[in-house]
Amino acid sequence: QVPVIAVMTTGGGTRALTSLLGNLLGLQKLGLLDVISYITGSSGSTWTLSHLYQSTDWSHKDLSRQIGEVRRHMTKCKLSCFSLESLKYYFAVILQAHTPCQEGPLVLLSLFLVNSQKNNHKLSDERQALSQGQNPLPIYMILNIKEDYSLSEFKEWVEFTPYEVGFLKYGAFIRAEDFGSEFFMGRLMKKLPESRICFMKGDVLHCEYLNCMCMYGVFNIIQTLHGTANEASSSACGHEQETYIVNPECGIMSIIRQVLSERVMVSKFYNFLKGFQVHNEYLQSKSFCIWKDTVLENFPNQLTETEKYICLADTAGYIDISYPPLMRPERKVDVVLHLNYSSGSQTSPLEEASKYFLKQGIPFPKIHMSEEEKNNLKECYIFEDTETPEAPIVVFFPLVNDTFRKYKKPGVERSLAEMAQGKVDVSSIFSPYCINSFTYTEDEFDKLIELTSYNIQNNKKLILEALNSAIEQKRQHKR
């Protein structure tokens, strides 16, 4: 009768990175971190998770230390990263790396935006933080796409955990340390070294701010400094596949604008499903059918098993969510804490997720919010489908500044001298937390942490209400 509880996060660049830390701090202060079974993330939120899971018992320690480390990197000046010495170091790392050599911009961002120090941590290393069940299982979400098709024509959900990497639709997974290696008909043909986590952040767990134009400029500077960089890179990484950036053909100013907002990042990796035979019985299986959402699923010779490579892209290109792994029937998730950091409409990812899952026949609450409600969002909402016990209860936290303006702690009003600390702009076009910002002042960072922690703590009653409702549903369903 104990409910299975998950935290679902969205992307949002450094805003997601920082806000998730604040939300988790709020859950820790409420004593609720130890009841969480799963934490899913995409884009910016994956930076937070991969940072936390380098500590074997992070959820049992005061999060203030980890927040302090991120604060130091988020508020420091990045100009030193452009020094000749730094550029030479980045170039040396790229040459030695077994990830695609054209990933220069991705690798550089991974190396110094959050983790400027040398870091040899790998995804499979995060098992140490799970060996005793001491922390929630982290699940990183991304999409597999086809180069010549739009997302409406083809896309597949891919999940990464410290234990395995795989496709939800095919129910096919490999060990995390084997991702990127060559497979044929399910057999490991050529084992390649596992990527370090800082490369995985750039390659697989894409962050929106990987689209920053200046990083691409840095890589070009490196190539200029070293002259034969392309030839050296090709010979050093001959077995790897290209990573490329999809650019619209337009003027330079238009390119810059799109780079800072909607450029699509794609990485190629060897397809571990290559050579599998897709038969009619397979196409009719329940697991396959619930994730069948594009026309190409009707043509087995168009599916992933025929491709030499998989092409991975940010989930925000479709829906900025990391729900799908939680919707696997085997996980039996009862309550989802939806922490939203997306740009644009705060309710859009949840509404789109609801429509998508209901269309796929996956139990999920229907989301009904009036325009007035959307324009005046509260800190927390509960969505529940009492007629469908298999549907999770969703506790939705949009990123808003509501009662925090007047209260510094739940139930503790601000004095006149403290009112300025309650002014946190997370919604206007002038917000310092816009998607293309990757450096905050100390005051901006602290305010976002305090706001997101407060929003969780101030809604303890609603969270407990959802948990009690889940317990009651399980009792009734059992009878």
Side-chain angles (χ1 to χ4, degrees):
Q1 293 180 352
V2 177
V4 178
I5 306 163
V7 168
M8 195 292 307
T9 67
T10 69
T14 50
R15 181 177 60 231
L17 163 68
T18 308
S19 298
L20 178 53
L21 284 171
N23 286 148
L24 292 175
L25 179 63
L27 289 171
Q28 186 179 68
K29 289 184 176 181
L30 293 181
L32 292 176
L33 264 187
D34 62 347
V35 304
I36 307 297
S37 294
Y38 306 105
I39 300 182
T40 64
S42 62
S43 291
S45 57
T46 66
W47 286 75
T48 305
L49 297 181
S50 59
H51 172 71
L52 291 175
Y53 280 85
Q54 293 183 50
S55 173
T56 56
D57 54 353
W58 68 266
S59 64
H60 298 274
K61 293 180 178 178
D62 185 355
L63 282 175
S64 299
R65 185 181 64 82
Q66 284 96 333
I67 291 174
E69 290 178 8
V70 174
R71 182 181 189 267
R72 181 166 57 87
H73 289 290
M74 287 294 302
T75 59
K76 72 180 181 182
C77 177
K78 303 296 191 295
L79 291 179
S80 61
C81 301
F82 295 88
S83 68
L84 182 60
E85 182 179 351
S86 296
L87 295 177
K88 287 182 177 179
Y89 167 69
Y90 303 145
F91 180 71
V93 171
I94 292 170
L95 286 183
Q96 295 170 7
H98 53 272
T99 49
C101 301
Q102 290 84 353
E103 288 171 359
L106 309 182
V107 173
L108 295 180
L109 276 156
S110 303
L111 286 172
F112 68 77
L113 276 183
V114 180
N115 293 308
S116 59
Q117 73 276 24
K118 296 179 181 179
N119 192 327
N120 294 317
H121 189 67
K122 298 180 177 65
L123 181 61
S124 63
D125 292 338
E126 295 182 6
R127 294 174 189 168
Q128 297 173 24
L130 304 164
S131 58
Q132 304 299 319
Q134 67 270 41
N135 297 302
L137 177 71
I139 308 175
Y140 307 99
M141 193 81 252
I142 202 164
L143 287 176
N144 175 46
I145 66 174
K146 284 182 179 287
E147 298 177 78
D148 300 326
Y149 293 88
S150 68
L151 291 177
S152 62
E153 294 172 309
F154 184 86
K155 60 189 172 297
E156 296 175 332
W157 302 101
V158 185
E159 72 169 63
F160 288 73
T161 76
Y163 296 99
E164 59 186 5
V165 177
F167 291 87
L168 273 63
K169 183 168 68 181
Y170 304 102
F173 291 77
I174 59 171
R175 299 185 309 167
E177 58 265 40
D178 291 335
F179 177 73
S181 296
E182 289 189 68
F183 283 79
F184 185 72
M185 294 185 69
R187 294 181 180 273
L188 181 61
M189 306 301 291
K190 184 178 181 180
K191 179 73 173 76
L192 298 177
E194 182 182 2
S195 292
R196 296 180 344 188
I197 195 71
C198 63
F199 285 85
M200 294 292 284
K201 289 177 188 176
D203 302 339
V204 183
L205 312 175
H206 287 301
C207 224
E208 288 94 334
Y209 52 67
L210 290 177
N211 298 332
C212 180
M213 185 68 159
C214 65
M215 293 303 102
Y216 197 70
V218 171
F219 190 56
N220 289 335
I221 292 172
I222 295 174
Q223 291 179 317
T224 302
L225 289 171
H226 291 268
T228 58
N230 284 330
E231 294 180 13
S233 297
S234 299
S235 61
C237 308
H239 61 273
E240 298 299 343
Q241 311 314 315
E242 66 174 338
T243 292
Y244 60 93
I245 301 174
V246 180
N247 284 329
E249 292 189 9
C250 52
I252 185 63
M253 292 308 295
S254 178
I255 292 176
I256 292 174
R257 283 194 296 271
Q258 293 210 347
V259 161
L260 295 175
S261 59
E262 59 185 7
R263 179 182 279 187
V264 179
M265 308 293 296
V266 181
S267 291
K268 280 187 178 181
F269 293 87
Y270 285 117
N271 176 20
F272 57 85
L273 283 184
K274 182 172 173 55
F276 267 96
Q277 299 297 313
V278 181
H279 302 290
N280 289 333
E281 291 138 2
Y282 179 71
L283 290 173
Q284 294 167 0
S285 72
K286 185 177 179 181
S287 175
F288 184 92
C289 287
I290 64 173
W291 300 110
K292 179 180 176 182
D293 60 355
T294 60
V295 294
L296 289 186
E297 268 91 2
N298 297 317
F299 304 96
N301 63 341
Q302 294 291 313
L303 295 174
T304 297
E305 56 96 16
T306 63
E307 304 290 340
K308 185 174 182 179
Y309 312 120
I310 56 177
C311 299
L312 302 182
D314 198 308
T315 58
Y318 178 53
I319 307 176
D320 190 6
I321 56 171
S322 55
Y323 268 112
L326 304 177
M327 298 298 104
R328 290 171 61 182
E330 302 85 356
R331 290 201 163 115
K332 303 182 186 299
V333 174
D334 298 299
V335 179
V336 179
L337 304 183
H338 178 139
L339 308 179
N340 193 76
Y341 317 122
S342 301
S343 56
S345 170
Q346 285 289 306
T347 61
S348 180
L350 178 58
E351 292 173 323
E352 291 178 17
S354 176
K355 292 176 184 177
Y356 175 78
F357 290 128
L358 292 173
K359 181 181 178 181
Q360 300 303 121
I362 299 172
F364 198 87
K366 293 181 180 178
I367 308 301
H368 298 290
M369 293 186 75
S370 67
E371 287 302 315
E372 183 179 349
E373 286 179 305
K374 293 179 185 178
N375 294 328
N376 298 280
L377 287 172
K378 295 184 294 185
E379 295 161 351
C380 183
Y381 298 84
I382 295 180
F383 296 99
E384 185 176 1
D385 185 349
T386 55
E387 297 181 359
T388 309
E390 296 84 6
I393 298 171
V394 174
V395 185
F396 176 54
F397 284 90
L399 182 57
V400 295
N401 184 4
D402 186 12
T403 63
F404 184 71
R405 299 174 188 272
K406 296 182 179 180
Y407 293 85
K408 60 180 180 180
K409 292 180 181 179
V412 181
E413 289 193 41
R414 296 183 184 277
S415 65
L416 287 176
E418 295 169 327
M419 294 302 286
Q421 284 301 109
K423 295 180 180 179
V424 188
D425 181 3
V426 291
S427 57
S428 81
I429 59 173
F430 304 106
S431 171
Y433 310 109
C434 58
I435 200 67
N436 56 353
S437 295
F438 52 88
T439 300
Y440 297 153
T441 65
E442 292 179 350
D443 185 56
E444 290 166 351
F445 182 89
D446 293 342
K447 281 184 175 181
L448 188 56
I449 290 288
E450 290 168 7
L451 169 67
T452 49
S453 176
Y454 168 89
N455 282 353
I456 293 289
Q457 295 178 69
N458 195 46
N459 290 279
K460 176 182 178 179
K461 182 180 177 181
L462 287 178
I463 297 174
L464 295 180
E465 204 176 285
L467 301 188
N468 288 326
S469 180
I471 292 172
E472 186 59 31
Q473 274 196 19
K474 290 176 81 72
R475 285 175 181 164
Q476 293 178 359
H477 189 56
K478 187 175 181 180
R479 291 173 188 159

